[in-house]
Amino acid sequence: LHGFESTSTTYTSSSSNDATASGTISTGASGIVGNAWDFGGGKVTTSHQLLPVSSDYTLSTWVNLDTNPSSGILVRVSPNTEFELWTAALGLSYEGTAGNELIELTGDLSAGTWYNVVLVHSASGDAVYLNGVSKSTDAINTIPTSSIWFLGGRENTNDTLDGRMDQMAVWSVALSPSQVASLYSSPATLPNVSDLISHYDFEQTGTTLEDTSITSTVTTLSDKSTNSVNIIYPTITATI
């Protein structure tokens, strides 16, 4: 007789947080993983609170500039606040809600190269990582409450990104330095999926950028007889 014992682990993401593109954006460009979106004057607008207000978080994205130097928004909140992460003529800039340059890197970006940019927010402060390496830290920045966030541009036509973006993800925790390093070394694999809020893989065509974060349940069936066998039975459910 064989007896089986099952154990299950469920990873649950948030509900779908799709975003809408406008302006000049080409889909199907070559990405760091599969396809990317090539921004050439357009932007993507979300209609949800992209970053958590009252908790730690991690934001990660990949960017490949078409021109150098190039000033372009990666992430920006709606008008009247100045929270933004952007590529600047000097390299990479992280600007706080008071309009001050909290973190500014110089000479770190070149055209035609993929870079993994990660912003980690925790009780000890904010840190910007470039290609898995911590480049600078600063005091804690307040995250504004807003249902309008922009990717690749701002509310007007200024400072639009000139380049490709791929694999943007947001977690509700501060990823560890080793987890951030893994984002750069293994771009197709997201760590700590249980705390994933949103994931944009830029594989879509058209004007809808889909949140592809998922809910997954992994069930292990163990044969309790003398000859023990483990069977992994995954159940993947897309968040709608």
Side-chain angles (χ1 to χ4, degrees):
L1 295 178
H2 294 263
F4 290 90
E5 177 181 271
S6 66
T7 57
S8 298
T9 302
T10 301
Y11 303 98
T12 305
S13 70
S14 64
S15 60
S16 179
N17 293 315
D18 293 352
T20 303
S22 60
T24 304
I25 298 176
S26 299
T27 62
S30 178
I32 189 68
V33 178
N35 295 322
W37 283 18
D38 195 348
F39 291 73
K43 63 178 177 248
V44 173
T45 305
T46 73
S47 57
H48 73 285
Q49 180 72 34
L50 182 66
L51 300 179
V53 175
S54 57
S55 70
D56 295 349
Y57 68 81
T58 301
L59 168 69
S60 172
T61 193
W62 286 83
V63 63
N64 188 324
L65 301 177
D66 288 339
T67 56
N68 181 49
S70 175
S71 177
I73 300 294
L74 296 177
V75 176
R76 176 179 165 84
V77 77
S78 62
N80 303 320
T81 57
E82 290 296 324
F83 177 91
E84 56 190 16
L85 181 66
W86 61 311
T87 63
L90 294 177
L92 187 69
S93 178
Y94 169 45
E95 189 168 290
T97 51
N100 55 318
E101 303 291 338
L102 294 179
I103 295 174
E104 188 169 63
L105 309 182
T106 58
D108 286 278
L109 302 180
S110 299
T113 300
W114 279 106
Y115 294 95
N116 179 222
V117 179
V118 180
L119 174 62
V120 178
H121 172 84
S122 68
S124 59
D126 296 325
V128 170
Y129 290 76
L130 190 64
N131 290 349
V133 178
S134 178
K135 305 297 286 189
S136 186
T137 59
D138 206 287
I140 297 173
N141 181 37
T142 302
I143 302 301
T145 300
S146 176
S147 60
I148 305 294
W149 290 68
F150 301 106
L151 311 180
R154 59 170 73 221
E155 58 276 9
N156 50 38
T157 58
N158 297 331
D159 298 323
T160 54
L161 179 67
D162 182 19
R164 286 169 283 168
M165 193 181 299
D166 197 8
Q167 297 298 319
M168 176 176 287
V170 180
W171 292 260
S172 60
V173 295
L175 294 185
S176 67
S178 62
Q179 289 173 321
V180 172
S182 74
L183 289 171
Y184 174 63
S185 61
S186 303
T189 303
L190 296 178
N192 207 23
V193 293
S194 60
D195 294 302
L196 190 65
I197 298 176
S198 299
H199 175 218
Y200 300 108
D201 63 5
F202 293 87
E203 292 295 330
Q204 298 76 36
T205 59
T207 59
T208 300
L209 180 63
E210 297 177 5
D211 173 19
T212 56
S213 58
I214 59 173
T215 297
S216 61
T217 301
V218 179
T219 302
T220 303
L221 296 179
S222 300
D223 183 350
K224 308 305 290 184
S225 64
T226 302
N227 298 317
S228 180
V229 178
N230 292 330
I231 303 173
I232 307 297
Y233 179 77
T235 301
I236 307 296
T237 304
T239 301
I240 298 176

